[in-house]
């Protein structure tokens, strides 16, 4: 006797979301299931392409179906009704802001490597260099051409090894010229980057925010549908104090924190290859922030010439020979996983609200 669609869905109840710790069926992550001629077409409410966790869930679904002699045809779909943006940047699946409480902590290097790493996994990726006063993305992800211009004057981002790039640096005659801009001009450029760039279809748009909690960052949070923020810090006490301020800013604007990247967390001795903590008890400050705000550490990155130099040799995320490649690759995967978790929790909340609205209250019955 062949299995029915209802029985198959019951089988899928055993598949658990590894990050949320509940079943994908109970979370409402199965949009639709159709069974025909030994093939199950299953639509999942997933929105983080190349997330290791979502790929693992997909593989587990295939294994469960294979036990019944059924082939799985999986697809992913979410909608505006679930809380996903379908108006401001409808062709961009995820917007990830990369921020820091202060300058000089390696924020731009982290942003560029996350972008390059996601693209290397197969995702369609763009990066917006929104650090108006210090646009350094073109130094780390060099391009050979200038932005194109559409007939409607929208800008077409050039690419650096597959990553689409838009930066204030393209607007300057000389890359060493200072960007002396006041508030209204900053806002003008930010809105141009938001509304006047033809990104095409993207799985991820990485936004390199200016350091601190100034107007440029606030305006972007108010204008752009940011799915989550990666916060970059170093272990020093002053950087950690500013990191707390940045996290509070995101929370006040209901922006989820993807996690913290602790950069320059240690030093790997080139002679003995031992790893040394340079900041003593200060290095435990990130753990205190993690506990206080209940947010994860995406990874700890040591000081290394490959990471945070001039970027002339390309990103570590695409250099498997680098001594710190594994840590950067883990950071990229952890970032995609956390964005996926944030998205799936949003879907689960939407499904729960749907069920609550569908059940009549005592006064209505």
């Amino acid at each position: 006797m062949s299995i029915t669609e209802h029985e198959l869905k019951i089988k899928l109840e055993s598949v658990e979301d590894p990050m949320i710790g509940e079943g994908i069926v109970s979370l409402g992550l199965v949009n639709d299931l159709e069974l025909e001629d030994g093939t199950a077409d299953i639509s999942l409410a997933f929105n983080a392409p190349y997330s290791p966790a979502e790929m693992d869930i997909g593989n587990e679904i295939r294994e469960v179906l294979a036990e019944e002699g059924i082939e799985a045809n999986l697809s992913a779909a979410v909608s505006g009704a679930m809380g996903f943006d379908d108006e401001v940047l409808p062709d961009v699946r995820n917007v990830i802001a990369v921020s820091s409480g202060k300058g000089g902590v390696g924020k731009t290097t982290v942003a560029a490597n996350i972008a390059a790493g996601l693209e290397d996994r197969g995702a369609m990726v763009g990066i917006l260099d929104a650090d108006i006063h210090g646009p350094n993305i073109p130094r780390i992800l060099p391009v050979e051409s200038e932005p194109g211009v559409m007939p409607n004057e929208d800008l077409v981002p050039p690419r650096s090894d597959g990553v689409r790039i838009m930066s204030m640096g393209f607007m300057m005659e000389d890359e060493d010229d200072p960007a002396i801009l006041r508030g209204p001009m900053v806002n003008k450029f930010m809105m141009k980057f938001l509304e006047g760039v033809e990104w095409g279809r993207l799985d991820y748009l990485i936004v390199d925010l200016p350091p601190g909690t100034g107007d440029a960052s606030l305006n972007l949070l108010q204008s752009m549908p940011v799915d989550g923020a990666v916060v970059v810090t170093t272990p020093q006490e002053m950087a950690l104090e500013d990191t707390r301020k940045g996290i509070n800013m995101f929370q006040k604007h209901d922006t989820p924190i993807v996690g913290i990247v602790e950069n320059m967390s240690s030093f790997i001795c080139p002679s003995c290859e031992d790893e040394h903590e340079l900041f003593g008890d200060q290095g435990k400050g990130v753990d205190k922030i993690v506990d206080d705000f209940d947010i994860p550490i995406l990874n700890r990155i040591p000081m290394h010439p490959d990471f945070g130099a001039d970027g002339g040799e390309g990103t570590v995320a695409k250099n498997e020979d680098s001594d710190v490649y594994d840590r950067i690759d883990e950071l990229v995967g952890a970032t995609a996983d956390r964005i996926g978790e944030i998205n799936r929790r949003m879907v689960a909340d939407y499904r729960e609200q749907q069920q609550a609205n569908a059940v009549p209250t005592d006064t209505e019955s």
Side-chain angles (χ1 to χ4, degrees):
M1 182 176 177
S2 61
I3 192 170
T4 66
E5 291 179 357
H6 177 69
E7 290 170 334
L8 192 56
K9 194 165 186 179
I10 292 175
K11 288 279 186 182
L12 291 179
E13 290 178 354
S14 66
V15 179
E16 187 174 281
D17 186 311
M19 302 192 73
I20 299 179
E22 297 180 33
I24 62 170
V25 174
S26 63
L27 289 169
L29 299 177
V30 179
N31 294 322
D32 192 29
L33 186 156
E34 294 182 1
L35 181 59
E36 185 176 357
D37 297 331
T39 299
D41 292 321
I42 302 175
S43 171
L44 301 168
F46 287 1
N47 198 51
Y50 301 95
S51 154
E54 291 193 356
M55 294 172 74
D56 287 345
I57 294 172
N59 290 333
E60 188 173 351
I61 291 173
R62 292 184 179 93
E63 290 174 5
V64 170
L65 269 59
E67 292 174 358
E68 302 297 329
I70 296 170
E71 184 177 349
N73 181 24
L74 306 182
S75 61
V78 294
S79 67
M82 297 174 180
F84 294 88
D85 170 56
D86 57 4
E87 295 182 2
V88 180
L89 291 169
D91 292 329
V92 178
R93 300 180 74 164
N94 297 283
V95 178
I96 305 174
V98 180
S99 73
S100 64
K102 65 189 299 295
V105 300
K107 166 183 60 65
T108 297
T109 305
V110 169
N113 275 272
I114 290 175
L118 288 169
E119 196 280 334
D120 196 51
R121 288 170 180 249
M124 294 179 289
V125 184
I127 186 164
L128 170 58
D129 190 354
D131 192 347
I132 297 291
H133 298 286
N136 290 317
I137 286 292
R139 294 176 183 266
I140 303 174
L141 295 171
V143 296
E144 297 180 358
S145 60
E146 295 294 318
V149 182
M150 301 281 285
N152 63 356
E153 297 187 353
D154 281 357
L155 300 175
V156 180
R159 301 194 187 205
S160 177
D161 199 14
V163 178
R164 305 168 205 186
I165 300 174
M166 185 50 61
S167 171
M168 180 65 190
F170 297 141
M171 312 298 176
M172 298 178 181
E173 292 186 6
D174 189 291
E175 63 179 11
D176 293 323
D177 287 345
I180 304 174
L181 301 172
R182 301 196 181 277
M185 287 299 294
V186 170
N187 293 341
K188 179 180 178 181
F189 277 110
M190 294 304 294
M191 293 311 297
K192 179 64 177 178
F193 288 154
L194 178 61
E195 299 175 350
V197 177
E198 180 54 55
W199 290 104
R201 299 193 67 83
L202 293 180
D203 295 317
Y204 299 94
L205 175 60
I206 310 301
V207 182
D208 182 26
L209 289 177
T213 56
D215 287 346
S217 295
L218 292 172
N219 290 338
L220 194 72
L221 289 176
Q222 292 167 352
S223 305
M224 180 176 281
V226 178
D227 296 277
V230 172
V231 180
V232 183
T233 187
T234 52
Q236 298 102 313
E237 184 175 346
M238 185 177 297
L240 295 172
E241 289 177 0
D242 289 337
T243 295
R244 288 179 174 272
K245 296 175 185 176
I247 292 173
N248 282 323
M249 175 188 72
F250 287 118
Q251 291 186 336
K252 287 179 181 178
H253 287 81
D254 297 323
T255 302
I257 303 296
V258 176
I260 291 182
V261 178
E262 186 183 57
N263 195 24
M264 308 179 201
S265 64
S266 58
F267 170 70
I268 299 177
C269 176
S271 299
C272 65
E273 297 185 354
D274 287 344
E275 190 166 342
H276 304 277
E277 294 185 1
L278 300 178
F279 300 102
D281 290 340
Q282 290 186 47
K284 299 177 182 178
V286 170
D287 296 329
K288 184 69 165 58
I289 291 177
V290 165
D291 291 339
D292 290 347
F293 290 97
D294 191 24
I295 54 180
I297 294 180
L298 298 175
N299 215 339
R300 302 179 193 266
I301 312 299
M303 291 183 178
H304 194 278
D306 291 350
F307 193 78
D310 61 6
E313 298 298 321
T315 55
V316 174
K318 294 194 175 187
N319 178 14
E320 295 186 17
D321 294 330
S322 171
D323 294 335
V324 289
Y325 169 80
D326 288 344
R327 301 207 195 192
I328 303 305
D329 188 55
E330 290 170 5
L331 165 62
V332 173
T335 300
D337 276 350
R338 271 289 290 155
I339 282 292
E341 179 190 356
I342 290 167
N343 288 340
R344 297 193 302 278
R345 286 187 183 277
M346 185 163 64
V347 171
D349 290 344
Y350 166 74
R351 301 295 194 200
E352 184 177 358
Q353 188 61 48
Q354 271 190 318
Q355 291 181 352
N357 292 338
V359 177
T361 62
D362 292 339
T363 57
E364 293 173 335
S365 57

